[in-house]
Amino acid sequence: MNRVIYNTSRLVHVLPEEVLDFLIALILNLIFVALAALLLWPLGKPMMALRLAKGYSILWVVTALTGAALYRVQKFFRVDTDTHYDALVISNLAHAVLLLAGWSAFAALTIRVFVSGTPGWIALILWLIGLLSSHIAFIVLSSFYKGTVYKMVNAILASITFIVFAVWPASGRAIYGWFFDLF
C-alpha cells in the first residue's frame, strides 16, 4: 500500500509546477461549474450554469491565445526579467486585469439576466455565485500569472470589478459588449 502512495506522490513531483497549477485551476473551475449547476437546477436556473461554463471555456482560450501573443510581443521587444522587469510586470498585469475585468463584466451581465423576476433570496444566491465566479476567474488567471504582484492585484480586483459591473452594468456593456457580441 505504501508503495502505491509513494508512486502516486512521485507523479506529482514529476509534473512541472506550471502544469500542476494549470491542472488545479482547471479542476477547480470544473468543480465550481458542476456545483453551481447542482445548486441552480432546483432554483430553475440551470441555463445560467451552462452560460458560465461557456464563458469559462472562452476565458481559458482567450487567456491562452492573448497570453501567447503578448509573450511574442515581449520577445520581439526583448522585454524580460533581466533587462526590462518593470515593462514585463506591467504588460502582464495589464493583460490579467483586462481579462479579469472582462470576466467580471460577463458574470455581472449574465447574473443580471437571470435575476430579473426572481424572489430576493434566489437573487442573492445568484449574485453570490457571480461573485464567486469572479474569484474562480482569478484562480484561472493565477495559473498563467503566478507572481505575488499579480495575485495581490487580481484577488482584490476580482471582487471590486464584479461589484462595479453589477451596480453599473452599462459600463460593462460599454467596455466589453463588442466582445460578448462575438459569442
Side-chain angles (χ1 to χ4, degrees):
M1 178 98 174
N2 287 339
R3 181 81 172 147
V4 173
I5 292 172
Y6 174 75
N7 287 338
T8 304
S9 65
R10 185 172 165 88
L11 286 176
V12 172
H13 295 294
V14 171
L15 291 174
E17 184 179 345
E18 294 82 16
V19 174
L20 191 59
D21 288 345
F22 178 82
L23 289 174
I24 290 170
L26 183 61
I27 290 167
L28 285 174
N29 195 184
L30 293 172
I31 289 171
F32 172 76
V33 170
L35 290 176
L38 288 174
L39 179 63
L40 293 169
W41 190 291
L43 298 177
K45 307 289 183 186
M47 290 305 293
M48 188 175 114
L50 193 59
R51 191 171 297 177
L52 288 175
K54 178 183 174 186
Y56 278 122
S57 62
I58 293 170
L59 176 67
W60 279 96
V61 169
V62 167
T63 301
L65 292 177
T66 57
L70 177 61
Y71 176 76
R72 292 275 188 186
V73 169
Q74 290 169 340
K75 282 294 192 191
F76 179 77
F77 288 110
R78 297 183 182 157
V79 174
D80 57 28
T81 57
D82 295 331
T83 57
H84 300 289
Y85 179 76
D86 53 347
L88 179 75
V89 170
I90 290 169
S91 61
N92 288 343
L93 191 57
H95 179 246
V97 164
L98 285 171
L99 290 171
L100 189 56
W103 174 265
S104 294
F106 167 76
L109 292 171
T110 299
I111 303 304
R112 182 167 286 281
V113 168
F114 286 95
V115 161
S116 65
T118 61
W121 67 275
I122 292 178
L124 179 64
I125 291 171
L126 297 180
W127 285 114
L128 287 174
I129 289 173
L131 183 63
L132 187 56
S133 78
S134 289
H135 184 70
I136 297 297
F138 154 71
I139 292 171
V140 169
L141 289 168
S142 293
S143 71
F144 288 89
Y145 296 109
K146 294 163 193 30
T148 305
V149 171
Y150 308 122
K151 289 182 181 181
M152 284 188 330
V153 170
N154 289 336
I156 295 167
L157 190 72
S159 298
I160 291 173
T161 55
F162 178 78
I163 292 168
V164 166
F165 292 133
V167 172
W168 191 24
S171 64
R173 174 62 63 194
I175 297 169
Y176 292 100
W178 64 271
F179 182 74
F180 301 152
D181 291 340
L182 296 174
F183 304 96

